[in-house]
Amino acid sequence: MLQTNLKHVESDEEFEKLIAENENVMICCGRMGPMCLPVYDIMESLQAKFPHVQFRDMDFDGPASHNIKRLPEVRGFMGLPFTIYYKNGQVVQATTSIQTEEQVLGILNRYFARAA
Amino acid sequence: MEEQFDVIVLGGGPAGLTAAIYLGRARVKTLVLDTGTVGGQTVLSFSVANYPGVEETSGRDISQTMLRQARQFGAEVKAYAKIKAVELAGENKVVELQDGSRFVARALIVATGGVPRKLGLESEARLAGRGISYCATCDGDFFTGKPIVVIGGGNSALEEALALTKYASRVTIVHEFDHFQAQPWIVEEVRAHPRIELVMEQDILDFVGEENLQEVVVAHKQTKEITRIEADGCFIFIGYVPNSAAFSAELQLNERGEIITDDNMATSLPGVFAAGDVRQKRYRQITTAVADGTVAALGATAYLEERKAA
Ligand SMILES: Cc1cc2nc3c(=O)[nH]c(=O)nc-3n(C[C@H](O)[C@H](O)[C@H](O)COP(=O)(O)OP(=O)(O)OC[C@H]3O[C@@H](n4cnc5c(N)ncnc54)[C@H](O)[C@@H]3O)c2cc1C
């Protein structure tokens, strides 16, 4: 299990329920490694600003990670973490390796912005 | 909104957090602003085995402990601060954020550290996470049984090249000079390794690949002969750049962009101190950053006392 303050996705059931029941979901699939930790930190820091988005992490070596690894959007990814953004159950964006807060915010604002 | 502090610390790596611990304990009202993740480069260390008094642990654990200590002693620490402007020259040091908040203090410590140097090629950015990596421990296992390139010739590059032989079918080290800058025993180990090849005195021209890296194109510095090295992965370890650009107009820097300080960490401006990897020094380690942070905090406290007495 990842040691973060985010909620984790640890099983297929949790993954399916999360995607089915929520409009906006961001999942960061990684390990407790140097390229992953900053992305978890960014997600933690943005949770309050985006209450309508479900922020989760997922252990890259855990039982639910095949749901991410099998996605066509991650073909060619060779850098942890794999971060996936879902809108109404569909993947709208996927990134590989470390990301800056600006990059994450750019994607959140683009796909999950609330109508004013 | 304007808020007054005694000392503002820019940077929440080991240097900045140590300064905050010392300042907090001395009841000096302190604000730490970090533009990124608190912990700085320590977050990039899976394992730290040379921090005295602590048996092997992760860099993240060390920095999280420092953060808790700094907060317990009363320092305010803000991560992901969007800094708009910094004024260092006047009696009051001012930091303005993009959201309009203004922080004012009589003294300021620059502890902004450094970031990994990049080659700056378009193809490097495009293929990052698609073959190009800056972390062997993170991404090494994606290249099991595949040929990879390591760029660099210092301790980090050679240590990581050795670590990557655990996964890769072949590791080619590409370096710009005809000799390495690493410790002799690491160089010896690299030279003796049956699956490591050395390609010296090269310029990196390009990374080739559509969805993933396929080749690293290099040219010999003297003969200009071009070599195309087949590789699924390329790990880049070519040193660090000090985060000092924002202060170059006001503080004295050396030719490498490092802030020049005296033994008390005082910079060329009164009331402005610098600590850690951002300043001119030979050895960059957590221990040396922590030592700098201590000295800078004590220097800043003494500076405030002198001003009060004057
Ligand atoms: C992969 C790796 C492994 C290492 N392993 C070891 C080891 O085993 N042992 C050891 O002793 N050392 C190790 N080091 C070196 C050690 O991590 C550094 O020397 C140390 O972190 C430097 O501390 P610092 O506080 O000066 O800077 P940093 O750690 O770089 O922290 C600087 C902080 O300032 C922030 N910042 C940047 N610009 C600004 C700005 N304009 N305003 C505000 N904040 C800003 C950054 O976000 C960052 O958090 C390692 C380094 C790396 C990269």
Side-chain angles (χ1 to χ4, degrees):
Chain A
M1 196 178 73
L2 298 169
Q3 290 94 50
T4 73
N5 295 320
L6 291 167
K7 286 189 185 159
H8 318 298
V9 182
E10 290 175 335
S11 66
D12 287 348
E13 299 72 50
E14 275 176 34
F15 173 77
E16 278 150 24
K17 193 164 177 313
L18 177 74
I19 299 301
E21 293 179 1
N22 294 284
E23 186 184 343
N24 305 309
V25 178
M26 174 180 181
I27 301 178
C28 183
C29 181
R31 296 180 176 135
M32 289 307 286
M35 299 289 131
C36 305
L37 294 172
V39 183
Y40 304 143
D41 277 355
I42 291 167
M43 291 168 77
E44 278 178 32
S45 76
L46 293 176
Q47 285 188 117
K49 253 193 232 163
F50 290 86
H52 58 295
V53 178
Q54 299 298 316
F55 292 91
R56 297 286 189 280
D57 63 30
M58 185 193 274
D59 187 342
F60 193 77
D61 304 305
S65 67
H66 69 100
N67 292 292
I68 303 286
K69 290 176 186 168
R70 67 168 185 218
L71 292 171
E73 289 83 356
V74 310
R75 213 180 51 218
F77 281 14
M78 288 181 142
L80 287 183
F82 294 180
T83 308
I84 316 295
Y85 300 79
Y86 295 89
K87 180 111 195 151
N88 298 317
Q90 301 299 313
V91 176
V92 287
Q93 181 72 270
T95 64
T96 172
S97 196
I98 192 169
Q99 303 288 303
T100 62
E101 193 194 28
E102 281 68 35
Q103 288 170 312
V104 173
L105 266 175
I107 297 169
L108 292 176
N109 284 326
R110 181 153 173 221
Y111 294 106
F112 301 158
R114 274 206 160 145
Chain B
M1 185 197 71
E2 181 169 305
E3 211 179 328
Q4 184 82 40
F5 287 85
D6 296 322
V7 179
I8 295 172
V9 180
L10 295 179
L17 290 176
T18 304
I21 291 168
Y22 273 79
L23 292 164
R25 281 205 86 187
R27 302 194 194 289
V28 173
K29 193 178 177 205
T30 303
L31 171 68
V32 180
L33 292 172
D34 196 304
T35 50
T37 305
V38 170
Q41 292 170 63
T42 59
V43 175
L44 301 176
S45 301
F46 254 116
S47 146
V48 175
N50 55 5
Y51 191 72
V54 180
E55 286 187 21
E56 189 165 345
T57 183
S58 71
R60 174 152 168 116
D61 275 354
I62 292 181
S63 60
Q64 287 297 309
T65 307
M66 287 184 189
L67 173 61
R68 278 197 302 278
Q69 286 176 292
R71 286 191 165 139
Q72 272 160 15
F73 289 127
E76 206 176 305
V77 183
K78 287 184 201 292
Y80 303 106
K82 303 271 174 301
I83 297 178
K84 187 173 154 199
V86 180
E87 287 167 33
L88 300 177
E91 185 73 14
N92 281 325
K93 319 299 172 194
V94 183
V95 180
E96 215 181 309
L97 302 192
Q98 279 172 16
D99 65 6
S101 17
R102 261 169 75 86
F103 303 106
V104 181
R106 303 300 288 275
L108 183 142
I109 298 172
V110 180
T112 49
V115 283
R117 191 184 292 280
K118 298 200 169 165
L119 289 159
L121 298 170
E122 176 279 328
S123 49
E124 179 187 11
R126 184 169 50 78
L127 291 167
R130 294 175 172 273
I132 294 197
S133 174
Y134 304 88
C135 178
T137 30
C138 306
D139 301 332
D141 62 351
F142 285 112
F143 304 98
T144 303
K146 294 175 177 166
I148 60 159
V149 165
V150 169
I151 298 177
N155 285 325
S156 308
L158 300 201
E159 276 174 13
E160 300 293 21
L162 284 166
L164 284 162
T165 57
K166 204 164 74 189
Y167 309 105
S169 58
R170 186 188 69 232
V171 176
T172 307
I173 300 179
V174 177
H175 188 38
E176 59 176 330
F177 303 122
D178 63 358
H179 61 279
F180 292 114
Q181 289 85 25
Q183 304 285 359
W185 60 87
I186 304 176
V187 177
E188 236 171 74
E189 215 179 312
V190 158
R191 287 193 190 280
H193 200 288
R195 271 184 297 120
I196 295 184
E197 232 169 79
L198 308 179
V199 183
M200 309 298 279
E201 290 185 85
Q202 304 288 322
D203 284 321
I204 312 297
L205 298 188
D206 202 8
F207 298 104
V208 178
E210 285 302 318
E211 197 170 84
N212 285 106
L213 178 70
Q214 287 168 341
E215 279 181 347
V216 179
V217 186
V218 300
H220 192 273
K221 277 193 178 291
Q222 262 87 53
T223 65
K224 308 290 174 211
E225 188 191 344
I226 290 181
T227 310
R228 305 178 81 89
I229 307 169
E230 188 204 326
D232 289 79
C234 179
F235 291 77
I236 304 175
F237 306 104
I238 51 171
Y240 282 80
V241 190
N243 287 321
S244 61
F247 318 106
S248 59
E250 292 191 280
L251 297 179
Q252 207 185 332
L253 310 182
N254 68 11
E255 67 289 351
R256 291 185 297 278
E258 298 154 354
I259 299 173
I260 297 172
T261 65
D262 66 13
D263 288 350
N264 297 318
M265 308 298 142
T267 68
S268 51
L269 280 179
V272 180
F273 299 80
D277 281 13
V278 74
R279 79 176 190 95
Q280 171 172 297
K281 63 176 178 180
R282 179 135 184 219
Y283 300 111
R284 291 185 160 71
Q285 288 286 286
I286 301 172
T287 47
T288 60
V290 158
D292 286 359
T294 307
V295 176
L298 297 175
T301 310
Y303 172 85
L304 295 175
E305 290 299 323
E306 281 160 24
R307 292 280 140 151
K308 238 190 257 169

